[in-house]
Amino acid sequence: MKEFLDATFWGNTLEDYLWFSGVILLSILFKRIISKKLSNLIYKLFKRFKSGAEEVDKFFNLLIKPIEFLIVLVGFSFAFNVLNYPPVEEGKFGLQNTINIGFQIFIAISATWIVLRMIDFLGFVLAKQAKKTETTTDDQIIQFVIG
């Protein structure tokens, strides 16, 4: 069995490819569970807003997709770091550097998406609270800040 796993294709053993596939599979399988736990943890930061079930559902619905995307990206990043890449000459830019920079860009985009969704949630809560007042000034200010 060890000889089978030590078979090399394109500079990587079969064992490396199995680890690569396993990390990606685990990140895809557990993305929903981890994203719900992470959303719950982030929600505790916003708990000071007296929010009901509607706000909680809105918060989780806003954050599930971006956090799942972030988890899968991190899983892919870990998986690609398992593989061996061709050596790079001094001063050159290799395949591994290109892949790592691509993941860093997508992780930054995902983090920005999460922050924007949290701002949407704050706008939702503030708009709901503004509707309780008699004046329309606060409603207009909230719409200006949100949109």
Side-chain angles (χ1 to χ4, degrees), residues 2 7 9 40 57 78-79 90 104 109 122 124 140 147:
K2 186 67 176 163
F9 303 100
N40 196 8
D57 290 341
F78 285 146
E90 189 66 36
Q104 289 173 2
I109 290 170
L122 286 175
F124 174 75
Q140 293 171 351

Side-chain angles (χ1 to χ4, degrees), residues 8-9 11 23 34 46 52 64 84 87 104 118 126 136:
T8 303
F9 303 100
V23 170
I34 295 171
F46 292 99
I64 288 292
N84 298 315
Q104 289 173 2
M118 287 191 294
L126 291 175
T136 59

Side-chain angles (χ1 to χ4, degrees), residues 68-81:
E68 283 181 355
F69 183 66
L70 179 66
I71 290 166
V72 171
L73 275 176
V74 169
F76 269 85
S77 178
F78 285 146
F80 273 96
N81 283 328

Side-chain angles (χ1 to χ4, degrees), residues 5 7 9 20 22 27 40 43 47 54 60 68-69 80-81 83 86 95 109-110 124 128 130 133 135-136 139-141:
L5 292 177
F9 303 100
F20 173 81
S27 69
N40 196 8
Y43 180 74
K47 199 168 188 165
E54 180 184 357
F60 288 129
E68 283 181 355
F69 183 66
F80 273 96
N81 283 328
L83 297 177
L95 178 63
I109 290 170
S110 178
F124 174 75
K128 192 167 183 172
T133 62
T135 63
T136 59
D139 296 343
Q140 293 171 351
I141 291 173

Side-chain angles (χ1 to χ4, degrees), residues 4-126:
F4 178 72
L5 292 177
D6 286 337
T8 303
F9 303 100
W10 300 302
N12 291 294
T13 63
L14 190 57
E15 183 179 4
D16 291 337
Y17 289 119
L18 288 174
W19 276 106
F20 173 81
S21 303
V23 170
I24 291 174
L25 185 64
L26 284 175
S27 69
I28 291 172
L29 288 176
F30 289 111
K31 70 180 180 179
R32 179 66 66 162
I33 296 167
I34 295 171
S35 66
K36 284 186 179 181
K37 296 290 183 188
L38 207 55
S39 294
N40 196 8
L41 184 70
I42 294 171
Y43 180 74
K44 288 180 182 180
L45 296 172
F46 292 99
K47 199 168 188 165
R48 66 184 181 105
F49 297 108
K50 295 178 182 175
S51 45
E54 180 184 357
E55 286 86 2
V56 174
D57 290 341
K58 178 79 170 176
F59 184 78
F60 288 129
N61 288 337
L62 283 172
L63 281 184
I64 288 292
K65 290 291 181 192
I67 291 178
E68 283 181 355
F69 183 66
L70 179 66
I71 290 166
V72 171
L73 275 176
V74 169
F76 269 85
S77 178
F78 285 146
F80 273 96
N81 283 328
V82 169
L83 297 177
N84 298 315
Y85 297 95
V88 180
E89 295 178 21
E90 189 66 36
K92 298 278 182 164
F93 206 71
L95 178 63
Q96 185 173 15
N97 290 338
T98 305
I99 291 172
N100 285 336
I101 288 174
F103 279 124
Q104 289 173 2
I105 290 170
F106 280 114
I107 287 173
I109 290 170
S110 178
T112 304
W113 189 14
I114 291 169
V115 169
L116 289 174
R117 289 292 180 104
M118 287 191 294
I119 291 170
D120 288 345
F121 173 71
L122 286 175
F124 174 75
V125 170
L126 291 175

